Each structure stands twice: as C-alpha cells, then as structure tokens.
Amino acid sequence: MNKRFSVGYGLVIGVILGLFLSVSFGVFADRHEGAGAQIPVEDLRRFTDVYMRIKRNYVSEVDDRELLDNAIKGMLSGLDPHSAYLDEREFRDLQVGTSGEFGGLGIEVGMEDGFVKVIAPIDDTPASRAGIRAGDLIIRLDDTPVKGMTLSDAVSKMRGERGTDITLTIMREGVDGPLRITITRDVIRVQSVRWETLEPGFGYVRITNFQARTARDLVRAVESLKEEGPLNGLVLDLRNNPGGVLNGAVGVSDAFLDSGLIVYTEGRLQESQFRYTASPGDVAAGAPIVVLVNEGSASASEIVAGALQDHKRAVIMGVQTFGKGSVQTILPLAQETAIKLTTARYYTPDGRSIQAEGIEPDIKIEPLTVARNDDGAARVSEANLDRHLRGNDEANERDAVDADDPDEPLAQRDYALNEALNLLKGLAILGQRS
C-alpha cells in the first residue's frame, strides 16, 4: 500500500467513524440505550477497504458521491422491498406522485426477485385499459431488462410525457411465455371514490386508492345513496386498491364503526407505535356491508377490510389480499434527499398481522367470467301448457317474461359484484323476517 493510498484509507475510515459516532451518540442519547452499544469497527474497515479499492482500481474514475449514494441504496434495498434511498429527483417525484395527478401508466408496483411486480393497476388509467393485472411481473421496459434496476429507476422509466409509448414485457401466471404490451402514457388523475345505485336500496362504492380526502368523499357518497331511498345494503369495492394514506384508511373504517380499535402499529421506537380508535357514528346506519377484495388489495385496503371483519361489521368477499402490512416513514436528509424506511407493522384490532399474510375473506370468490346460456332452447313454464289455469296477472307476467333485457346482466359484467349484491339481498330478506 503506497503512502497516498494509506492516507486516503485512513481519511475515509476516519470520516466514516466520525459520522457513525456522531449519529450513534444522538440516537443513543435520545433512547438512553447506548451504554452497551459497540461500534462495528471491523465491518467499517471492510467497507472502507472496498470503497478505496474501487476508487483506485475501477476501470474509470468514479465520483465519491456516486459511490456513497450507491452504498446507501444498497443498505436500504437489502432490508426489504419497500425501504429505499430517494435522491433529489426521486424525492421530488414522490411528492408529485402523492398530489393526485402525475404522468405515467397508472400502476402501483413493488419489487420481487429483482423484477417489478404489479400490486394493482389504478382504475381508468392506461395500464388498466391495456389489461395489466395484479401479480404481473415486469421483466423489460422497452428493450431494457428490469433485473438490476432499483424500483425508483423502474418507476422513473415508466413515467414520461403524455402521449409517448412504452412497451412492457411481462410474465403472467398461467400464461406460457412473456407478453409484450404497449401502453401510451397519460396524465394520471386519480379519483379516489365513485359510487352508484346497483338496485333500489342497494348501493355500490368503489375506492381506487386512499388519499387525504377519501374518508370525506366516502361519507358524501353514502349520503348521496341514502338520498335516493332507504339503504338496505352496501358493497364497498377495494379490489385492486394498492393502499395510500393511512389516515384515509382510518377515516373510512371509522365511518362504519361506532367504537373500538381500528388498527395499531408496532415498531422498535416509541414514536412508531400508534393506536387508532373509532368515534361514534355509522354513516350506513347499520346497513349490511360486503367488502370486495382481491390479490391487488394492499396496505390501507387491508386495514379497512381487517377492521370491519374483526368488528363483524362487514362480510369480506373475494380472494386473499396482497399482504403488505408494514409502515414506511419518509425521513428527509440533507441536500433535498430522503430515505423511505420501514419502521413498523400494522395489526388488525384482534391482533392479526397483515404483513405477508393478508386478509383471508369470509367468503371466497374466484375471479370468474360467466356467459349467458344462449342455446336457443325456449323457456317452458306452466303458462305455456295447453288449457293451463290462468293467473290473475298472467298478461303482465307474460310481458315480463317475453321482454328482452337490453342491458348486459351484472353477473356477466362483474361476477363477484353480482354475488355480493345477492348476499346483501339475502341478508335484507332475513332482516325483514326477524
């Protein structure tokens, strides 16, 4: 080792040790737990050795900041799929992405085995219209392999100017070979809540993701449904909802609960531990609720489903949810950078962990497509028999039987939603008889 290398080595390890000591001192002072802590000097020497060998031997000169940024990214990405280092651009993009409008494809993604995994496509976006599904693994972006990219790099590449195209190569369960799907980017405007009346007395509310205003919009939606007449049942659709703002999920749960725990978090630090409880008032006034979920329901969606399930306020229908039950905290750093760090886990009111387990539905409904049986066979009933005994309203009944329904049946458009509506009807009938 020459003198220049030795001086550089000593300088670098001195700086790193100094930084580590100063940070550790502050943390240990705050937590009063630093008495038995030891600095991993040998590990820091190993890190510094690698650092200096790269500086000295790499084929081309490497900027110090680039090396340190990459080291920080490696530390965080090695923890879990959700922790990450955010440079200036990524931190700025994160702030833009939470405003409710941005340019891109409209998908929530994570990392799995080095590939980008689709958690859920957002409703009415280029991705959903192109047929991207929850669980798809993206292996190429245009001609660039995803393997080796960070999640932030992949997201950045998928974003772009409105009207420009990008081709995703994906692997899909049950499909032999990769699929290539070309999508035209657009400005993504996320409408969190929409609603409609399925049939008189039965409402439908769809939440696409959780934003700061979602709870308020949900209450407005249910109130609008109640203005049309008595609400006998409600379908809350959380399918392909990737999550969002925690307070939005708490507010939605609180809207249907009169009291009790909604969700709590547990982490190593006291400030990572929270408990959220419901306040009096049920916007649905006790009307039966069916919550639809699927493998694309994640994070905040699972908080709502878990809370309503544990309080026996709703029937959960669909398939097992995604299982993202961890809390990520954005910790700003110097130079307009930040780290996104997993700091706690979510638990349902009954103490069930959501992380990697998800919410198991009360009634399992596989994602099926049904078709009308158009076999040409005429329907035969008592009224078709010769010399049948006439009913009082036979003429009206015949008109009803013979009339063609111009609309596609709900069961064909959305089988799971049709099953949820049928369940609500059954509950309403039983309620009237009791």
Side-chain angles (χ1 to χ4, degrees), residues 115-236:
F115 297 111
V116 175
K117 183 175 184 178
V118 177
I119 296 174
I122 300 172
D123 286 355
D124 300 321
T125 61
S128 64
R129 290 191 290 269
I132 298 297
R133 300 179 186 176
D136 285 346
L137 279 180
I138 302 173
I139 60 174
R140 280 182 178 270
L141 298 171
D142 285 331
D143 295 324
T144 305
V146 168
K147 195 79 171 178
M149 281 189 183
T150 65
L151 182 60
S152 297
D153 289 339
V155 170
S156 178
K157 189 170 180 61
M158 284 187 281
R159 287 183 175 175
E161 293 295 325
R162 177 182 183 180
T164 59
D165 291 344
I166 184 172
T167 299
L168 308 186
T169 303
I170 65 172
M171 299 296 294
R172 177 173 295 167
E173 187 175 356
V175 177
D176 294 332
L179 301 173
R180 287 176 58 85
I181 300 176
T182 299
I183 307 176
T184 302
R185 297 181 180 92
D186 201 351
V187 175
I188 308 301
R189 297 181 179 89
V190 180
Q191 180 182 352
S192 179
V193 179
R194 55 183 176 86
W195 65 94
E196 64 177 291
T197 297
L198 296 173
E199 290 185 12
F202 298 96
Y204 170 83
V205 176
R206 163 71 175 155
I207 301 180
T208 59
N209 72 337
F210 288 89
Q211 302 172 1
R213 62 180 183 271
T214 297
R216 180 192 64 197
D217 290 346
L218 169 85
V219 171
R220 186 179 65 187
V222 177
E223 294 292 351
S224 297
L225 292 169
K226 289 160 61 178
E227 289 175 2
E228 300 179 14
L231 188 63
N232 298 321
L234 178 70
V235 178
L236 180 62

Side-chain angles (χ1 to χ4, degrees), residues 107-120:
I107 49 177
E108 179 80 10
V109 294
M111 293 296 289
E112 182 175 288
D113 299 327
F115 297 111
V116 175
K117 183 175 184 178
V118 177
I119 296 174

Side-chain angles (χ1 to χ4, degrees), residues 1-11:
M1 182 182 295
N2 61 36
K3 182 178 180 181
R4 180 182 176 185
F5 184 73
S6 178
V7 171
Y9 182 93
L11 180 61

Side-chain angles (χ1 to χ4, degrees), residues 271-285:
E271 53 265 33
S272 298
Q273 300 179 17
F274 297 97
R275 297 176 69 86
Y276 298 90
T277 56
S279 56
D282 177 357
V283 67

